[in-house]
Amino acid sequence: MAKFDAEARAGLSLIAPPFLYALLILAAPILTILAYSFLTDGYLEILRDFTWVNYAQVFTDPIVRTVMLRSLMVAAIVTLATVLTAFPIAYYVSFMVRPEKKAMWLFLITIPFWTSYLIRVFLWKVILGYNGVVNSSLTGLGIIDEPLTFILYNINAIVITLAHAYAPFAILPIFVALEKIDRSLLEAGRDLGESRAMTFWRVTLPLAMPGVIAATLIVFIPTIGDYVTPEVIGGGKIPMIANLIQVQMLALDNRPLGSALAVTAMVVVALVSLLFLFLNRRFLKVRQ
Amino acid sequence: MNRSGRGLQAYAVIYLLFLYAPIILLPIFAFNSGTIIAFPLQGFSTEWFEQMWSNTTLRRALANSLTIAVSASVLATCLGIFAARASTRFAFPGKGGIMGFIMLPMVLPEIIVAMSLLVVLLGVGVQLSLLTVIAGHTLICMPYAIAVLSTAFSSLDRSLEEAAYDLGESRWGAFRLVTLPLVMPGIISALLISFTISLDEFIIAFFLAGNEPTLPTYIFSQLRFPRAIPVIMALGTVLVLISIVLLAIGEYFRRRGNARIGGSPTGGLL
């Protein structure tokens, strides 16, 4: 330990308990499923034979491919919808709301997020359902004769529910990025003869980009792994990757294939994250 | 306010309605005497709250959830104090990697944490119980606790501690008498946030609790039975009220902490 100075030793001994905890509860299990994903599934036990079969199945099985692509598509649509609708709110709170009222607005935005996730998801089913709030109101008002069916038990309903669930995750990082913008830059843009819209496009938006990218990642990662919404809203008929992992791991008891699915999902999430972090770096470079 | 400002304001109000739509429905159906969750409403009733109160499985689930949430939030906050102190006060080799790894559960889909932990526990032969859920919840609450605590620790003025050393306090004495009281609001916020996350966490509780119900897994099991829904609506109403009270307390302590270290009152929970 001679090569570490006193400060490094103090820091390392302080970080040791949380680090060891994460190693034990997170790293060890993930390494285990990584190992499982290369083993062969026997009838009642897992055979210790190295194989690529599980990954071959992940990439060729049409069901797996459908579910994987569906998860990516749902997560992409949800992320796009959430970030696009969240940006004006973050902009409004940062630029239009008086400073002393900002905390209250953020409080209002975060409250729905702290209420039971399961109940919120279920209530969207109530709102969008066949005899739900939307349909009974519209038929009651005489706007439609038959209840709309395109909004329940399908991907649209999943998207609406997830976009609602992750709204604060998108608003907060964009808000933080907007708050950091030096307001005199915007005045400079106006003084130099740019229109309001062009100032927004050429000054505000590029400077807010790190927040937008953070929001994209924060929404994308949990939505692609969401288990509850497809289960409750989709009625189990439109599974996403998390549901498939669970079925393989537990119901079908094929742990190697389930592990290979989980590892693949993690790799996909990591690749998408790296892509966005790379984009973020580009934007930060432009900034300097 | 100009025209675009008014347009944005209208948009903000509509957006808030979208955010609150499900939560507004909750008390409406909880006090509705009809057994079907649909409009038109039948009449006013507190029957569902009475049924909820006398439901023994629900009580058991609540007791389990509280046990888990209290244990996990205390453990996560204690571990978080170590991490936040280390990352804000000391430079050490591998800091970025270690901190990134500890914060990983924030960006890892929960199903992967739950499934990999379950596979290992079953493989090792550990009996699933409340303890296994506490272990999982501590892991996922820790990054949030660290995020809150890091803010509290990083805004500390280091010269205050040095003043304590100069006045003859030991390291531990200075930490206990100077640092700890100053970061106390951060600690309380971290406890509350971890508690709220654990109380609402479903995936890990669903897979790691064995046969023990927690509030979210109980709710999930009841969603399949239309007759059970009104009671769940009543339960949801109570839970919303509790979250709002806890959040308000957390916000109060956060602001007091900010005021104590001379920060501005703006900014949110993050």
Side-chain angles (χ1 to χ4, degrees), chain A residues 79 82-83 86-87 166-178 180 206-223 272-273 275-281 283-284, chain B residues 106-107 270:
Chain A
T79 309
T82 312
V83 172
F87 192 93
Y166 291 101
F169 287 93
I171 296 173
L172 290 174
I174 299 175
F175 170 79
V176 170
L178 288 171
K180 281 189 191 148
L207 289 176
M209 227 39 204
V212 173
I213 287 170
T216 307
L217 273 182
I218 292 176
V219 176
F220 183 84
I221 293 168
T223 43
V272 173
S273 309
L275 176 73
F276 276 96
L277 291 179
F278 171 74
L279 285 177
N280 199 15
R281 189 163 289 180
F283 273 106
L284 288 178
Chain B
M106 235 175 178
V107 295
L270 294 182

Side-chain angles (χ1 to χ4, degrees), chain A residues 212-252:
Chain A
V212 173
I213 287 170
T216 307
L217 273 182
I218 292 176
V219 176
F220 183 84
I221 293 168
T223 43
I224 199 171
D226 193 82
Y227 175 85
V228 172
T229 305
E231 202 71 17
V232 172
I233 296 275
K237 293 189 191 73
I238 10 182
M240 285 180 33
I241 189 68
N243 313 84
L244 197 62
I245 293 173
Q246 186 256 332
V247 166
Q248 287 298 340
M249 286 278 199
L250 301 180
L252 300 180

